[in-house]
Amino acid sequence: MQNQLTTYLSAGYPGLAVVSSEEARAEAEIASVCTSLKRRLHAWSSTEGLVDTKEGRVTNCSDPLELFQLLEGMFNAKEPRHVVLLRDLQLHLDQTDPPLIRRMKDILRLAKVGGHAIILLGCRLKLPPELEHEITTVDFSLPDANQLRTVLDGILKSAKIKSLDEAVREGAIQSALGLTTMEAENAFALSVVETGGIDHKVIAREKARTLKRNGLVEVVEATTCLDDIGGLGLLKDWLVRRSGAFSASAKAYGLPAPKGLLIVGIPGTGKSLTAKATASAFGLPLLRLDMGRVFGGIVGQSEANLRAVIQTAEAISPCVLWIDEIEKGFSGSSSSGSTDGGTSSRVFGSFLSWMQEKNKPVFVVATANDVSKLPPEFLRKGRFDEMFFVDLPDAQERAQIWDIVIARHGRKPTEFDTVVLAQMCELYTGAEIEAVFVDALHEAYADGREPKPSDILEATEHMIPLAQLMDGQIAALRHWAKGRARLAASRGKQGRRNTRRIDSN
Ligand code: ATP
C-alpha cells in the first residue's frame, strides 16, 4: 500500500480510502508514509475525537459535522499539509445524510486546493453515489511472509519458546499466508495451546476455517489427481506440460507464470474434477471462489469482496484459484447499468484487468456450462492461456471413466467388462456413469451381495442422459466452441500434443 499511497498523496488526491479490518497495521503504514512525505497526520474517531498525532493534542468532537468544521479551519491554511485519517466515517455516510455529504464534498474541494487529504479507514466501504467519484481506494495487501514472521516471533516470545526449527517456522508462515495479522496471531497461539508448539497443520486448518467463515473463498484439499479423470487426454497433457511452470527454475528460465484456463462444457463431464486435479498436478494450494457470494450480501460490497478475494489469492500465491460456474457471476454485467447501477460491469471490469495484469502467480481455473451468458470481452485472448471444451466422453473415455468410478467405490474394475459397460452408456457423462454405479451398489447392498452387470443395466433403464434432454443446448455449445476452444479429448485420432480445435459438430 505504501507506494500507492505515496503516489496518490504526492499527486494531490484529496480523498482516499483504505478498506481493511487491520486498523493498527494500516495506521502504522499510513503514519510511515506521512512521515516520509512530511505531512502532518491527524486521526479521528467518534470515540476519541481528533488527535494530532505529532503533538498528541486531542480535540473532542464525536459528531462528523463538528469534525468537518474543525477541518475547514485546518485546511484553510496551506502549511503544514495535513492528512486526516477518519476511522469508520463511512458508517455515518451510509445514512445518506444530505448536509453531511454536502459538507464532505466541500471539505474535499478545500483539501484539494490546499494540498491536504483525508483518508477513510474501515473494513467496508459503501459510499453514496455523490461521493463515489471523489474517493480513490488504495489497495491494502494482506501481510506478507516477513510481516507474519514478526507476528510469529511475538507469539514464540510470549509462549517462551526459545528456538524453532527453520523448516517448522517456514511451514507455519506458508500456512498462515492469506490471513490478517490478527487471524495469523490467533492461529499461531492456538497451535501453541493445542500442541505445545508450532504445527503448520493446525495453522492450515485454522486458515481453512477462517476463510470459510469469511465466506468468499474456501481452501479445498486437493485430493484429486489427474489419474482420477477418465478421458480429457489433451487437457491433462496440457496441464502436465505446465506443471513445472511455477518453479524457481522456470522463473530463472524466463518463463512467465501461466495465467489460467477456462474450461467450458457439458455439465457432469469432469470440469470441477479437473480444477481440483490441476492443484495437485501443480503442487499448489487450491482456493475455490463462489462468484455468487462476491455479488451477494450487502449492496455495494461486491467491489470490496472482489478486492478481498484477489488479496487473499495473491497472499497465498503461488496457488490455483478455481471459479466454478463463472457465468453465474458475470452474466449480468453487460446489462448491469440498468439493473444494478453498473456494479456487475464494474466488478467484471476489475476482474478482467486483474486477469490481464496480474503479476502474482495465481493460476485461475474457471469452469462454465453456459457460455452464452459470458460477456465476449471475457473470452478475448490474453485473459486465459487457453480455453478448452469438454464434450461428452466417447466409448474409449467412458470405459476409462468406468474403471475409475468402479475403483473409487472400492471394487476391482477387472471384475467388470468396462468396454461393454461403456457401450451401454452411450451419451452418458462421467457424473451419470457414477450415478448409475451408485444406484447399482444400493440395489446390490439391499440384497446383501456385490453388484453385477445386470444391476448396472437395470440402473441405466432409469436414467435419461442429460444429452438427450439438452441436445439443443449441447449442439449450441459445440457450435460456439468451434474454432474458439481447444478440444479437451483427442477422440482417439489425435497425437499427444495435438492442438486441434473443434471443426465439426
Ligand atoms: P458441473 O458443470 O455440473 O459442475 P462438472 O463438469 O464440473 O459438472 P464434475 O463435478 O467434475 O463435473 O463431475 C461430477 C462427478 O462425476 C465427479 O465428481 C466424478 O465423480 C464424476 N466424473 C465426471 N467426469 C468424470 C471423468 N471424466 N472421469 C472420472 N469421473 C468423472
Side-chain angles (χ1 to χ4, degrees), residues 95-126:
Q95 294 162 4
T96 52
D97 177 348
L100 190 62
I101 293 168
R102 182 64 254 166
R103 205 63 198 252
M104 174 102 170
K105 288 178 83 168
D106 295 343
I107 287 295
L108 285 167
R109 198 180 297 173
L110 206 57
K112 175 87 189 152
V113 174
H116 311 288
I118 59 172
I119 303 178
L120 303 178
L121 174 63
C123 68
R124 66 188 175 100
L125 181 68
K126 181 186 174 272

Side-chain angles (χ1 to χ4, degrees), residues 411 435-449 451 455:
R411 297 330 194 259
V436 160
F437 192 59
V438 169
D439 198 14
L441 282 173
H442 278 292
E443 290 304 320
Y445 178 74
D447 292 344
R449 54 176 175 77
D455 296 315

Side-chain angles (χ1 to χ4, degrees), residues 228-230 266-273 369 401 404 408 430-431 434:
D228 296 327
I229 307 171
I266 297 162
T269 46
K271 299 185 296 297
S272 308
L273 209 58
N369 293 332
I401 295 172
I404 290 167
R408 192 182 295 150
E434 176 144 43

Side-chain angles (χ1 to χ4, degrees), residues 208 218-224 276 279-280 284-287:
E218 195 183 331
V219 181
V220 180
E221 235 186 295
T223 48
T224 305
K276 291 183 223 165
S280 313
L284 298 179
L286 176 64
L287 294 179

